[in-house]
Amino acid sequence: MVAGTRPNFMKVAPIIREIEAKGISCCLVHTGQHFDELMSKIFFSDLGLPEPDVYLGVKGGTHAYQTGEALKALETVYIQEKPDLVVVVGDVNSTLAGALAAVKIRIPVAHVEAGYRSHDIAMPEEINRIIVDRISQMLFAPTQDAVDNLVKEGIDSKRIFFVGNVMAQTLLEFVEAIDKELPEALSDKHLGDYVLATVHRAENTDDPRRLRQIMESFAELPLPVVFPIHPRTAGKLPKELKQLCADSGVYFLRPQGYIDFLKLMINSRLLLTDSGGIQEEALLLGIPCLTLRYNTERVATIELGANKLVGTDKGLIIKEARRILSEPKKSYPVPPLWDKKVAGRIVDAVIANSNLLEIKPQEKL
Ligand code: UD1
């Protein structure tokens, strides 16, 4: 199992549990793409993940540097460990490196969360998704639209498995198990209703005009905004803009662990985000979501009425947020197979289809 970033950890957790329950041995490799205590370590303790068997310490740098360093280091691990299968999740640079290093030395790859497409090639994750899906031997799709994308791209349907969303499994398990109090950082604030926001995508954080529009919209919303801040965003936010927001009811928090962020979502009235996974978590929790992007690969969230793309225009963000806040709370239909059996389906499918795991010369994928 290869993982490297915050949004990978909740996806590998139930799969590792399931693999081990079946008596199959599993080696967890952490590339180190995310490395801070609050971006990585806390997720291991929150999720009850075992310590990584191998930690590669690849951090920072450009896309090519990060992917290249992970590629080199992963190849060495694969040659030593000789796995029968490499499992990668999601769409981050560690996912790409994990798949590419394996298939080049003819170790088969299973991709969990296969088939999502934003159809925006300027998005680094879209490039990762397309390449990883093209070179994987088994593709585990979270939604029917993801299956359809893979079929349209000519992937052999015997390699595509519609299993549901593994991130949903983790969320549903935790929602049942945790208390729903606000995390400690806010427990003395008597917040009442609030909006929860996250912003970390480079096209938003690295474009000063966009970042300003987004942050000024937060400052002008009719409810307080709780804003756990990603290290990239913290580095880009001008002091004066941060102060303006802090003076206007924006609560800046450090990056939150899995459980505390879940509590923040559960208690919020509205989510504003440019993340991928949070769009889906909002749907599962019945919290409306406005996505600060111009496209999404998570199209089911839009089709089911739980999510709307608003981009980065301040006027539109405020208008849509006001509209939602004036409406009564709703719940949304949950996509098929977003349940607590996703990891079981994945591991069962691997066991039942080991014939797919051989990379044969002259075979078309
Ligand atoms: C990565 C993923 C993105 C995912 C996001 C979740 C890719 C292409 N992008 O983006 O899909 O939504 O993770 O957070 O893989 N940093 C730290 N400490 C950390 C991690 C990051 O300080 O623990 C800072 C570093 O300056 C780093 C920058 O954040 O260079 C960006 O990190 P990086 O992993 O390159 O991309 P993310 O924006 O986190």
Side-chain angles (χ1 to χ4, degrees), residues 53-325:
D53 298 282
V54 185
Y55 184 80
L56 302 178
V58 174
K59 57 173 164 179
T62 62
H63 286 274
Y65 175 86
Q66 201 174 67
T67 313
E69 290 297 300
L71 258 179
K72 287 191 287 182
L74 282 161
E75 184 180 63
T76 308
V77 175
Y78 296 163
I79 288 169
Q80 268 167 14
E81 296 287 332
K82 302 186 180 53
D84 296 303
L85 174 68
V86 164
V87 181
V88 295
V89 298
D91 56 13
V92 300
N93 289 341
S94 299
T95 313
L96 173 63
L100 194 51
V103 78
K104 284 281 188 118
I105 52 173
R106 290 182 44 186
I107 296 171
V109 174
H111 182 208
V112 175
E113 204 183 86
Y116 273 160
R117 295 290 181 270
S118 65
H119 305 289
D120 176 4
I121 200 69
M123 189 181 178
E125 295 84 351
E126 180 74 355
I127 301 167
N128 295 343
R129 289 189 283 259
I130 292 170
I131 298 175
V132 173
D133 286 341
R134 190 66 191 84
I135 61 179
S136 292
Q137 282 59 53
M138 294 185 80
L139 298 98
F140 293 106
T143 53
Q144 186 58 47
D145 59 84
V147 172
D148 297 344
N149 288 334
L150 294 169
V151 171
K152 257 185 252 157
E153 287 176 19
I155 306 267
D156 187 341
S157 57
K158 72 172 188 288
R159 299 188 180 277
I160 305 170
F161 299 83
F162 178 23
V163 291
N165 188 338
V166 77
M167 216 186 64
Q169 172 166 356
T170 302
L171 181 128
L172 296 171
E173 287 167 355
F174 272 85
V175 166
E176 257 179 35
I178 60 170
D179 72 65
K180 313 286 187 296
E181 299 300 307
L182 276 180
E184 232 174 82
L186 290 169
S187 55
D188 60 342
K189 297 282 189 296
H190 310 291
L191 260 184
D193 277 351
Y194 64 88
V195 174
L196 177 62
T198 77
V199 178
H200 76 277
R201 300 196 53 77
E203 67 266 25
N204 288 338
T205 60
D206 299 5
D207 177 336
R209 205 192 57 84
R210 277 194 182 191
L211 187 58
R212 182 165 292 276
Q213 290 271 310
I214 293 172
M215 295 308 301
E216 286 182 1
S217 77
F218 295 174
E220 290 180 35
L221 289 182
L223 289 181
V225 176
V226 174
F227 185 45
I229 188 162
H230 184 286
R232 176 207 286 283
T233 316
K236 299 283 176 179
L237 195 59
K239 255 195 177 149
E240 132 295 308
L241 186 54
K242 187 172 181 192
Q243 193 57 51
L244 167 93
C245 289
D247 294 341
S248 315
V250 179
Y251 291 84
F252 288 91
L253 299 183
R254 297 190 302 169
Q256 299 291 296
Y258 185 75
I259 294 173
D260 279 351
F261 192 72
L262 187 51
K263 292 178 178 185
L264 285 175
M265 285 195 286
I266 290 170
N267 288 290
S268 68
R269 184 64 186 79
L270 166 68
L271 269 152
L272 294 179
T273 189
D274 62 3
S275 149
I278 292 172
Q279 298 169 51
E280 301 182 333
E281 292 177 331
L283 176 146
L284 285 157
L285 296 169
I287 312 288
C289 181
L290 293 175
T291 295
L292 307 165
R293 289 168 46 182
Y294 293 92
N295 53 54
T296 183
E297 60 291 339
R298 268 82 172 170
V299 294
T301 61
I302 308 264
E303 282 161 7
L304 296 170
N307 184 19
K308 184 164 183 179
L309 298 174
V310 288
T312 59
D313 177 71
K314 176 170 128 181
L316 186 60
I317 298 169
I318 296 171
K319 179 171 156 243
E320 285 298 321
R322 283 186 182 278
R323 179 185 60 77
I324 291 175
L325 294 173

